[in-house]
Amino acid sequence: MSKIHAAITAVHGYVPDYVLTNKELETIVDTNDEWITSRTGIKERRILKGEGLGTSDLAVPAVEALLKKRGITANEIDLIIFCTTTPDRVFPATANILADKIGAKEAWGFDLQAACSGFLFGLATGSQFIESGKHKKVLVVGGDKMSSITNYKDRATCIIFGDGAGAVLLEPNDEGNGVIDSILKSDGAGVQYLHQKAGGSIKPASHATVDADEHFAYQEGQAVFKFAVTNMADVAAEVMEKNNLNSEDIAWLVPHQANKRIIDATANRTGVSPEKVIINIERYGNTTNGTIPLCLWEWESKFKKGDNLILAAFGGGFTWGSIYLKWAY
Ligand SMILES: CC(C)(COP(=O)(O)OP(=O)(O)OC[C@H]1O[C@@H](n2cnc3c(N)ncnc32)[C@H](O)[C@@H]1OP(=O)(O)O)[C@@H](O)C(=O)NCCC(=O)NCCS
């Protein structure tokens, strides 16, 4: 019997309507379109406006459209893995909240926190449940309301982040398509460069933490850039070498959308030509867990059955990794 792989059988994404342009950011902090575009490649990002709305509200439209596309009901889902750094609440898991909102009564679920690499970690984790035969339908969601932890007084970070979510459905495939291999890495020594100072158990929320802006993402941009640019490129090249793939074998490179310069470095290192590199950072910025599923969603119509895709990400923690998958439809 041929090996069972976990294949993506449907994908959908959602970004909120509000467009925060570089021009508008010029009115909020001391910056300009030319600086942002040349340093990051970002022109605009989407922001979820409205009281009482969280990351699950970004995921609901993406998942509902995905289910419709695949022609299944929410009750057919066995497991929901919600990859996010901005959960609706510290607890319970946003996966539970999403399950309730979409009416998935038969699913269990959990949140997965690996910052910007979360979606890849979730894809690799979800694949195990399919490969083992334990589950038939696993929903992997990647989404973040980054505007909820972005300090709009800090010009070096507020220009980067945006809100958005995407989801994929994993199902068993016996034709050799699906997730073939992954290399995933973590290094907690990187915590100092990118983290949220307060709101966790070591520093619970207080008046003082709010006054000191400690509930926002804190980033030492240059240090993060240095680690990201080498590690994301290296791990993508590593997964290709391990699977005897050269640049011509790759139909699409799907990089985390953190910074256009980091994407270009990954493309150069892997030798994948520019027309095969998926980039939407100019429209959405860095949506953290949302970037890769949003790319898959927007390019879905261009993918062909059997296409080799290399997914690569780097994020806070530090976390990084790459997945080799063969598109299944
Ligand atoms: C954040 C980032 C774009 C900043 O670019 P940079 O070239 O490293 O910029 P620096 O922080 O060194 O700042 C350079 C100068 O630009 C200024 N600057 C920072 N943000 C600015 C902005 N939005 N507009 C104008 N000037 C800005 C700085 O104040 C500094 O000025 P100075 O030299 O007078 O002190 C870049 O470091 C980066 O992309 N890092 C990786 C971030 C990332 O990918 N994070 C997510 C990981 S998943």
Side-chain angles (χ1 to χ4, degrees):
M1 210 176 86
S2 53
K3 182 177 170 6
I4 296 294
H5 290 104
I8 294 176
T9 56
V11 57
H12 213 84
Y14 174 78
V15 288
D17 292 337
Y18 191 87
V19 180
L20 175 58
T21 61
N22 288 351
K23 266 265 153 298
E24 185 178 350
L25 277 172
E26 287 177 12
T27 68
I28 301 170
V29 287
D30 180 15
T31 190
N32 59 76
D33 176 52
E34 200 281 320
W35 194 96
I36 301 171
T37 307
S38 61
R39 300 290 173 117
T40 69
I42 302 167
K43 284 285 189 192
E44 57 190 44
R45 57 299 281 142
R46 300 300 183 95
I47 304 295
L48 180 63
K49 297 271 186 184
E51 281 295 305
L53 297 177
T55 300
S56 69
D57 298 294
L58 295 166
V60 168
V63 173
E64 285 181 343
L66 176 151
L67 295 175
K68 196 165 169 218
K69 215 186 224 178
R70 184 74 186 102
I72 61 167
T73 67
N75 277 335
E76 291 175 65
I77 299 166
D78 301 307
L79 163 64
I80 299 174
I81 303 176
F82 203 128
C83 313
T84 185
T85 298
T86 52
D88 281 13
R89 302 168 189 271
V90 172
F91 77 93
T94 310
N96 289 29
I97 296 165
L98 177 67
D100 181 53
K101 286 183 175 176
I102 62 172
K105 304 281 183 220
E106 305 295 330
W108 67 288
F110 59 90
D111 287 4
L112 190 150
Q113 161 64 289
C116 294
S117 309
F119 183 76
L120 293 194
F121 283 32
L123 204 52
T125 306
S127 295
Q128 302 300 309
F129 287 94
I130 298 287
E131 286 176 20
S132 71
K134 174 91 178 151
H135 291 318
K136 296 279 181 261
K137 288 184 172 50
V138 174
L139 187 67
V140 183
V141 182
D144 275 293
K145 183 186 170 187
M146 289 307 291
S147 60
S148 66
I149 58 164
T150 296
N151 183 354
Y152 290 96
K153 287 178 277 181
D154 175 4
R155 66 178 178 166
T157 59
C158 73
I159 56 155
I160 295 173
F161 296 110
D163 302 339
V168 299
L169 185 70
L170 294 176
E171 295 185 77
N173 181 291
D174 62 3
E175 298 179 324
N177 293 323
V179 174
I180 307 295
D181 200 7
S182 62
I183 300 176
L184 305 168
K185 308 199 185 206
S186 300
D187 180 3
V191 67
Q192 60 187 299
Y193 304 112
L194 183 50
H195 59 265
Q196 184 176 316
K197 294 194 181 301
S201 56
I202 57 164
K203 206 176 206 190
S206 68
H207 284 293
T209 61
V210 171
D211 291 344
D213 287 340
E214 290 181 341
H215 294 270
F216 296 123
Y218 168 83
Q219 171 168 269
E220 292 179 22
Q222 269 189 25
V224 174
F225 185 89
K226 245 185 271 166
F227 281 100
V229 88
T230 49
N231 287 324
M232 191 165 119
D234 285 353
V235 77
E238 197 181 335
V239 90
M240 284 170 60
E241 277 155 28
K242 195 176 155 213
N243 290 280
N244 299 314
L245 297 166
N246 60 42
S247 56
E248 285 80 53
D249 299 319
I250 306 306
W252 300 98
L253 176 66
V254 194
H256 169 53
Q257 311 283 304
N259 183 310
K260 175 71 164 56
R261 292 182 290 150
I262 299 172
I263 295 172
D264 290 345
T266 306
N268 285 338
R269 176 81 170 78
T270 55
V272 175
S273 51
E275 71 278 6
K276 296 178 177 177
V277 182
I278 298 183
I279 302 175
N280 59 16
I281 192 171
E282 70 282 0
R283 286 175 289 128
Y284 303 141
N286 181 351
T287 54
T288 301
N289 284 276
T291 60
I292 289 177
L294 284 172
C295 285
L296 295 175
W297 167 53
E298 291 201 322
W299 264 258
E300 181 193 19
S301 64
K302 296 192 171 70
F303 298 157
K304 291 196 285 296
K305 191 170 174 175
D307 271 358
N308 289 325
L309 270 64
I310 296 292
L311 282 43
F314 182 88
F318 290 131
T319 55
W320 65 105
S322 186
I323 286 184
Y324 162 40
L325 67 83
K326 290 177 94 69
W327 197 251
Y329 59 97

